[in-house]
């Protein structure tokens, strides 16, 4: 479980060797790839792969796999949908889901799929807009320019177009990403969670694995399956050991360009604190689920997400307490600072950037607790509260000109905000009471019982009583009530006597003030300093480097290959036979009955999961694994335990991507799930 | 909440200034006290205070407060007893408990009280026994000498005498502490937990406070209240602001003499890991208690203890991530190493000690997970398992000569082990299932599902199933069954078909092997190196320094004094009026009804809690706060938030001890609880 870093790699800052790198599609490392794997994609390959890639707006990746809008992603990327269309009578997480006709395909309430169409460089406009500004003025100007560029890009096609200004290289470069937007997304197929997430949390981020972590969605337009021109044919055989493979997906976030001050803050403060909070929440959810089957279903997805975060963040923390990593990062920073110090002009403009960040981090130490509680809503861990805070803030923001709004309420982002607030997904009052009572208790703990806001919110009551009163009194569980408040704007909000709306109206000004202060004294300082450091890094290393991940489309290259763990070889492939060998009689190691029923028909030698040297991170879930021919040979669903330190650096000797073999997808659909029609659609047959 | 350390203090290693220090009674800092507070105790004062002090064997302090065996301690030190004598019909944690006659005083099943009678120096014997030895031989020789010295000291009076070899100055000195042992301890009085722990976890380690955190016990001998010659009269007025006060109690453990390697291991590994584990457990317990009143009662004490640990360890972690502390510790270590390097003989003997410890810490990183799971029984978080493991190991150890046993089974310690195993305290099967199911799940998580021992223990079942099967099948809930197994020795153990006994027999050899390896390669190395470093420290600084806390009797001196928090003065006293002002309608800020009923009779100006500059740490709970005249003026129950960094150093500007004023004890007993007879006994009236 210990991460071992190859120092040599780390000491050559950003000069990635071998498979390292999450590359943008407009800056492929062609020469390096030719050297490393003897091949590099041409413009057509890149364009086709880019257009075949899907972005699940809630935080995953996917790919188009048929001309009729079929989208392949992970089961865990569609789990919220699978739960939302379930009920206490039909639990599709347990039973799996298969639409046998278009009519049976069920709409996912809160799902949006995007397809990247175009990348343009807007660095000059962005840097120009903020030139010479600081603090609040900097933030305002940056938000306004972002909103302007996005709105111009979207034009009048907000229903079908989404545009994001993407910060790359920690602000060294700003690109405008234009997406086609699909808001009618329907569930086609999902296996049982017990095989999608076979091994559960214990095996999460581990390998060997035996997971059919797949789901199939279909995007619709005008009530019909969308017609898709660029999609990936699914290989019936999967890849070979040693074969070069490529991922195309949306790595969420890495911190490889962070300064030492930020890394130390992560190591000593942010990561331990969030892990301690999440762990308590995990215990709470575990015991809530133990009450009964219904409670278990209600809290299932939340617990999955919490456990997944704990494991990922634990891996990051463990990487940061390895002296070898911190020492290498320090050497990297020293080298860049030395370079800057040696060029008088750079020294004048950028020499103070590192200290400015360190100082901003200290300032943030003093303000981040109330900021987290009120602006990030840690205090109000409830769907109702989330609806109320969004409705209140959206009403205020929508009344402003686009360029003056908080960025998440700019025109380009509003459709997603609205979809979230109006989602028909069920809310479970008893579960919400537990979540909210707990988070209010934590608020009191973190801010102290005598904090004026805490006293104002709790009064003379216990947090659990306050939670119960709010939830018993609210009507926000009804999407129609939320729609009326959304449509009615600030007037409707102010007239509402819903207790959550009143709470949100009370907290919103506090939260806004905290955020404004944070943006002025911390965020803008760090952004500005980062832009300077990024420019210095370009000057020192050139532009053939890749930027930190920002949930924007990237590709990686690598080869199918195992690794050595504690001196022993871990082979790159598992097969169906192994799944049966590893099964026990109890969750999370229990295979579905359907698998035993089909066992005789199955080719047990079918490769099931495999690992490759690709450089990915959370957010890449659901990414297609593509071969040189542009065929989908695998479905990325995880990294191994060593990949978690990938937030800060990449070590090809042990860092591995974990994928479902495309052969397993088709074999299971054909022989276990009776889903040959869809499997054939994926093979390229006309639907 | 941020700890600020005065660098000057820390940079003069162990040269405590002002109130710093947890002093042994045989090495009082007479000159320093005269300088600091203008007074120092004479031999009689010291002897009387020492003999009036009580050690609660399960981890607290207390004092004798009458000639008839009355012992004053904290409510939270007797809470296990209060719970154990409660039932689903009478919940004394809620209602409070008062014995109106000797006949109503109820025996505490697992309580033992010790009184220190004599201290002798056995350093020479201990150092001689291990001279020239290493690894397993070192540990064996040390255990054998410890057992021999203790057994000789106890003689044939094991029922009434307990002797411990106490390691001081991290092994620089070994003393033999001879205690009078009281094993018949009865509960006399305990208020409602709601006022004993008013403010609950949110106010824990905070001040201002309003807690009546008291309990009264009585030690019996031969069925009658024991006659006590040395005891503390209780002051009806409490102390004055600025008055010099002294604590006498049993600080559990500090790490002020730790090397940097050990501090970094605490900061980066031990503390975050245990906090993450405890936080998950906290969430689990919180939600278990939410099921109903009975579950709430069953898990109350466990949750209290977990939350208390989390707060204390969080404070330690926060202290260690303060660069000022780590920098000061580094400077301290550098100074001592420089001193050693400058003396050729010391350099030869001791120069390598720091690196030896650093290396041993690395070795321990690789073995501590299985060691914690199996030898420290983290995997088996259940009273049943604890009984079984103790019965199995005790049977094996008791068959050996005293000097060859594991130290915790030496003759001197056996009575306490036996009392624990045979305790009639109730065990709640449903609660045990939750605890054990969870800890088995953690075992699988930490060691991996494919670990051979994990596979052996869980087989094809889920951890919860295994826990349920063990608990449904066990008879160890019955003290008579445990007694038969204790009395029957290894033969009875081997014939038992109890599932927990079988589990313990299966795990014991694994656990023993892990421990042996750990002792040989880590513990003995650190102990040996520490002894050398301690000798070097004596050489550099002289012997007028105090040792790290080791749950042995210490006294501290200080003055009643507030502090400045965020620029504002925190006054040293609270009063009864403040308690009513701070009360709300909900736990943990709800005062008992009895307090409102008595409010008119109370002198609301009675001082309630106060703070002083004394240097204490966990384990000091229940310590008497004594004035120069030898009167008990306060009852220590907590430290402020800044005291938590006291594990590593002392900062008199903010580190404060929190105590109940003796005036509050008497006023509440007289006017709220109708306990004047006992209050008068504490005032010194003949019973």
């Amino acid at each position: 479980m210990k991460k071992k870093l190859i120092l040599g790699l780390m000491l050559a800052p950003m000069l990635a060797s071998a498979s390292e790198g999450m590359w943008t599609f407009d800056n492929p490392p062609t020469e390096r790839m030719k050297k490393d794997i003897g091949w590099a994609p041409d413009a057509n390959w890149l364009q086709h792969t880019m257009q075949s890639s899907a972005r699940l707006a809630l935080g995953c990746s996917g790919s188009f796999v048929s001309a009729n809008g079929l989208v392949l992603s992970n089961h865990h990327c569609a789990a919220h949908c699978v739960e939302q269309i379930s009920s206490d009578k039909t639990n599709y997480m347990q039973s799996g889901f298969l639409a046998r006709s278009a009519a049976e395909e069920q709409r996912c309430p809160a799902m949006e799929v995007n397809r990247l169409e175009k990348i343009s460089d807007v660095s000059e406009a962005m840097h120009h807009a903020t030139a010479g500004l600081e603090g609040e003025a900097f933030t305002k100007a940056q938000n306004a320019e972002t909103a302007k560029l996005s709105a111009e890009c979207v034009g009048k096609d907000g229903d079908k177009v989404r545009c994001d200004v993407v910060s790359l290289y920690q602000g060294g470069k700003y690109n405008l990403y234009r997406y086609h937007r699909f808001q009618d997304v329907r569930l086609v197929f999902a296996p049982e969670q017990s095989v999608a997430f076979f091994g559960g949390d214990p095996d999460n981020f581990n390998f060997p694995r035996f997971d059919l972590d797949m789901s199939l969605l279909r995007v619709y337009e005008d009530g019909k399956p969308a017609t898709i021109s660029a999609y990936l044919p699914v290989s019936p055989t999967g890849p070979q050991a040693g074969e070069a493979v490529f991922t195309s997906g949306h790595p969420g976030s890495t911190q490889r360009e962070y300064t030492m001050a930020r890394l130390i803050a992560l190591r000593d403060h942010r990561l331990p604190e969030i892990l301690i909070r999440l762990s308590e929440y995990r215990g709470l959810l575990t015991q809530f689920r133990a009450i009964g089957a219904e409670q278990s279903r209600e809290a299932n997805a939340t617990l999955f997400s919490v456990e997944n975060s704990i494991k990922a963040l634990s891996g990051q923390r463990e990487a940061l307490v390895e002296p070898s990593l911190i020492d290498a990062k320090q050497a990297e920073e020293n080298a860049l600072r030395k370079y800057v110090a040696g060029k008088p002009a750079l020294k004048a403009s950028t020499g103070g950037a590192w200290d400015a960040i360190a100082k901003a981090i200290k300032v943030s130490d003093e303000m981040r607790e109330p900021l987290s509680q009120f602006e990030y809503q840690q205090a109000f861990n409830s769907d109702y509260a989330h609806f109320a805070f969004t409705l209140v803030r959206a009403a205020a923001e929508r009344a402003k000109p686009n360029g003056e709004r908080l960025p998440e309420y700019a025109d380009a982002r509003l459709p997603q905000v609205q979809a979230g607030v109006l989602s028909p997904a069920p809310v479970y009052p008893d579960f919400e009471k537990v979540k909210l009572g707990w988070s209010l208790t934590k608020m009191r703990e973190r801010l102290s019982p005598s904090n004026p806001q805490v006293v104002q919110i709790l009064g003379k009551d216990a947090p659990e009583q306050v939670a119960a009163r709010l939830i018993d009194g609210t009507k926000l569980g009804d999407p129609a009530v939320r729609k009326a408040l959304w449509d009615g704007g600030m007037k409707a909000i102010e007239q509402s006597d819903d207790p959550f709306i009143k709470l949100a109206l009370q907290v919103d000004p506090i939260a806004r003030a905290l955020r404004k202060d944070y943006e002025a004294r911390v965020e803008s300082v760090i952004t500005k300093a980062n832009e300077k450091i990024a420019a210095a890094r370009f000057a020192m290393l050139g532009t053939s480097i890749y930027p930190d991940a920002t949930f924007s489309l990237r590709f990686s290259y690598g080869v199918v290959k195992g690794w050595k763990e504690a001196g022993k070889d871990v082979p790159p492939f598992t097969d169906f036979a192994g799944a049966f060998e590893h099964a026990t009689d109890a969750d999370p190691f229990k295979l579905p009955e359907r698998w035993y029923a089909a066992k005789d028909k199955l080719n047990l030698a079918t490769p099931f999961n495999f690992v490759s040297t690709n450089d990915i991170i959370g957010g890449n879930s659901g990414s297609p694994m593509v071969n040189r021919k542009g065929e989908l040979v695998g479905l990325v669903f995880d990294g191994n335990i060593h990949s978690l330190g990938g937030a800060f650096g990449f070590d090809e000797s042990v860092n591995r991507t974990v994928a479902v073999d495309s052969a397993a997808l088709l074999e299971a659909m054909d022989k276990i799930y009776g889903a040959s029609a869809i499997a054939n659609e994926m093979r390229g047959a006309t639907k």
Side-chain angles (χ1 to χ4, degrees), chain A:
Chain A
M1 300 273 296
K2 301 288 292 181
K3 209 184 135 45
K4 290 189 174 52
L5 286 154
I6 294 181
L7 277 180
L9 274 185
M10 303 294 309
L11 286 167
M14 294 296 127
L15 288 174
S17 87
S19 300
E20 180 177 347
M22 303 171 181
W23 302 90
T24 53
F25 274 79
D26 60 350
N27 187 27
T30 306
E31 292 312 311
R32 281 192 53 216
M33 290 178 75
K34 282 185 181 156
K35 203 174 120 244
D36 290 338
I37 56 168
W39 184 83
D42 60 18
N44 282 340
W45 189 100
L46 287 169
Q47 178 75 2
H48 183 82
T49 303
M50 177 180 113
Q51 293 191 335
S52 302
S53 301
R55 177 178 178 273
L56 276 57
L58 292 176
C60 273
S61 302
S63 57
F64 294 94
V65 290
S66 90
N68 294 311
L70 205 57
V71 174
L72 175 67
S73 185
N74 291 143
H75 186 275
H76 72 268
C77 294
H80 268 98
C81 172
V82 177
E83 293 201 318
Q84 285 163 358
I85 65 170
S86 294
S87 68
D88 48 4
K89 293 193 186 81
T90 49
N91 184 345
Y92 295 124
M93 292 293 277
Q94 263 179 27
S95 65
F97 176 88
L98 173 63
R100 300 200 169 269
S101 68
E104 286 181 18
E105 297 180 358
Q106 287 209 34
R107 181 147 183 190
C108 292
M111 187 87 80
E112 175 177 326
V113 168
N114 304 137
R115 180 182 63 207
L116 182 59
E117 305 277 338
K118 198 181 164 200
I119 301 176
S120 16
D121 192 340
V122 292
S123 303
E124 204 180 309
M126 288 294 289
H127 288 145
H128 182 259
T130 58
L133 300 178
E134 284 190 358
E136 195 184 341
F138 179 97
T139 304
K140 274 193 171 174
Q142 194 172 53
N143 290 349
E145 188 63 23
T146 301
K148 180 174 153 257
L149 291 168
S150 303
E152 284 171 5
C153 166
V154 170
K156 297 192 171 168
D157 298 324
D159 283 353
K160 294 209 171 174
V161 177
R162 172 185 175 127
C163 293
D164 289 338
V165 174
V166 174
S167 165
L168 298 169
Y169 305 95
Q170 299 285 348
K173 198 167 163 183
Y174 292 92
N175 278 359
L176 186 66
Y177 277 46
R178 181 187 158 100
Y179 299 95
H180 189 95
R181 146 180 264 160
F182 298 96
Q183 295 197 73
D184 180 352
V185 184
R186 306 191 189 177
L187 185 66
V188 177
F189 172 69
E192 306 87 345
Q193 191 193 24
S194 55
V195 68
F197 193 42
F198 183 74
D201 179 67
D203 266 1
N204 198 13
F205 296 110
N206 285 331
F207 193 83
R209 284 286 274 292
F210 311 90
D211 288 9
L212 191 69
D213 193 353
M214 74 177 294
S215 67
L216 287 162
L217 305 159
R218 195 185 300 280
V219 293
Y220 278 66
E221 287 190 315
D222 308 319
K224 285 177 294 191
T227 300
I228 302 294
S229 57
Y231 60 91
L232 301 172
V234 177
S235 158
T237 55
Q240 301 298 308
E243 185 176 345
V245 284
F246 311 87
T247 67
S248 172
H250 300 81
S253 124
T254 54
Q255 291 78 38
R256 296 183 188 175
E257 291 160 340
Y258 264 29
T259 63
M260 283 303 290
R262 296 182 85 186
L263 290 175
I264 297 293
L266 275 178
R267 182 193 72 184
D268 288 349
H269 296 287
R270 312 291 188 276
L271 286 172
E273 286 169 18
I274 187 72
L275 279 166
I276 286 166
R277 181 183 170 91
L278 284 176
S279 294
E280 184 178 337
Y281 193 32
R282 179 188 195 178
L284 196 87
L285 293 167
T286 301
Q287 192 56 25
F288 179 79
R289 292 192 69 203
I291 297 173
E294 173 59 15
Q295 286 82 1
S296 177
R297 188 176 72 82
E298 287 172 11
N300 180 40
T302 310
L303 180 60
F304 168 86
S305 142
V306 166
E307 289 187 334
N308 192 58
S309 296
I310 287 174
K311 212 155 190 179
L313 297 172
S314 294
Q316 289 186 20
R317 203 192 69 77
E318 279 159 27
L320 284 178
V321 297
E322 273 292 303
S324 61
L325 175 73
I326 282 291
D327 292 349
K329 285 286 173 184
Q330 184 71 63
E332 230 178 83
E333 180 162 314
N334 292 348
L336 186 53
R337 292 180 80 159
K338 195 176 160 195
Y339 175 83
V340 167
K343 316 251 165 187
L346 256 185
K347 186 181 175 187
S349 67
T350 306
W354 287 269
D355 290 346
I357 290 175
K359 209 176 133 195
I361 295 283
K362 284 220 162 158
V363 173
S364 87
D365 278 347
E366 281 155 33
M367 53 172 74
R368 81 195 131 89
E369 195 60 51
L371 185 79
S372 301
Q373 294 296 331
F374 298 130
E375 173 63 12
Y376 304 157
Q377 294 170 33
Q378 271 197 357
F380 313 105
N381 180 23
S382 162
D383 292 353
Y384 299 117
H386 177 69
F387 293 143
F389 281 88
T390 309
L391 284 165
V392 163
R393 195 163 275 187
E397 294 298 311
R398 283 154 69 211
K400 299 177 188 170
N402 187 40
E404 290 173 23
R405 296 182 200 158
L406 296 171
E408 66 271 29
Y409 293 93
D411 281 334
R413 306 252 201 116
L414 266 188
Q416 194 181 340
V417 174
Q418 183 177 7
V421 168
L422 305 187
S423 159
V427 184
Y428 308 105
D430 286 349
F431 182 39
E432 295 300 307
K433 283 181 190 173
V434 169
K435 286 161 56 186
L436 182 59
W438 176 77
S439 67
L440 289 170
T441 305
K442 293 294 105 180
M443 168 192 74
R444 182 175 69 186
E445 176 181 314
R446 300 298 296 180
L447 299 178
S448 106
S450 55
N451 173 291
Q453 272 93 42
V454 171
V455 171
Q456 203 187 354
I457 290 164
L458 297 182
K460 293 259 174 189
D461 293 324
E464 295 78 10
Q465 293 170 317
V466 175
R469 198 173 54 227
L470 285 163
I471 289 168
D472 289 338
T474 190
K475 301 255 181 323
L476 294 186
D478 180 354
V481 171
R482 299 197 295 273
K483 182 153 196 323
L485 288 166
W486 178 273
D487 293 342
M490 194 43 96
K491 201 175 158 195
I493 295 285
E494 279 168 354
Q495 286 172 352
S496 168
D497 60 358
D498 194 282
F500 273 108
I501 295 289
K502 289 184 167 180
L503 174 72
L505 282 168
Q506 174 191 334
V507 172
D508 190 59
I510 301 162
R512 281 179 184 269
L514 290 164
R515 173 172 174 166
K516 197 169 157 181
D517 192 28
Y518 178 78
E519 286 177 348
R521 291 165 62 206
V522 179
E523 204 174 80
S524 61
V525 177
I526 293 179
T527 304
K528 219 173 132 94
N530 273 336
E531 288 181 356
K532 290 179 186 168
I533 293 172
R537 195 179 279 123
F538 285 139
M540 179 177 166
L541 302 172
T543 53
S544 298
I545 57 179
Y546 65 93
D548 258 332
T550 51
F551 198 48
S552 52
L553 191 67
R554 307 292 177 88
F555 81 93
S556 75
Y557 64 95
V559 292
V560 177
K561 191 177 169 187
W563 78 99
K564 262 202 196 324
E565 185 75 46
K568 284 188 192 153
D569 281 321
V570 180
F573 285 96
T574 65
D575 60 22
F576 279 177
F580 287 99
E581 282 158 24
H582 279 72
T584 72
D585 302 331
D587 283 336
F589 294 96
K590 192 174 178 178
L591 282 172
E593 284 308 318
R594 232 183 230 134
W595 280 62
Y596 287 101
K599 191 176 175 186
D600 287 348
K601 285 181 289 178
L602 281 176
N603 175 2
L604 292 173
T606 305
F608 197 169
N609 292 172
F610 67 90
V611 287
S612 71
T613 61
N614 294 71
D615 186 5
I616 61 157
I617 204 128
N620 265 112
S621 282
S623 297
M625 182 84 85
V626 185
N627 64 13
R628 294 180 197 190
K629 288 189 279 179
E631 296 166 337
L632 187 147
V633 293
L635 167 61
V636 172
F637 72 99
D638 207 359
N640 71 352
I641 198 80
H642 306 287
S643 74
L644 294 169
F648 313 109
F650 181 80
D651 178 358
E652 193 181 79
S653 69
V654 292
N655 188 329
R656 291 293 177 274
T657 291
V658 185
V660 188
D661 195 290
S662 62
L665 303 176
L666 298 173
E667 176 81 359
M669 292 177 70
D670 279 337
K671 301 200 183 152
I672 301 176
Y673 295 98
S676 292
I678 302 162
N680 287 336
E681 187 183 341
M682 290 162 71
R683 286 182 181 101
T686 310
K687 199 194 170 184

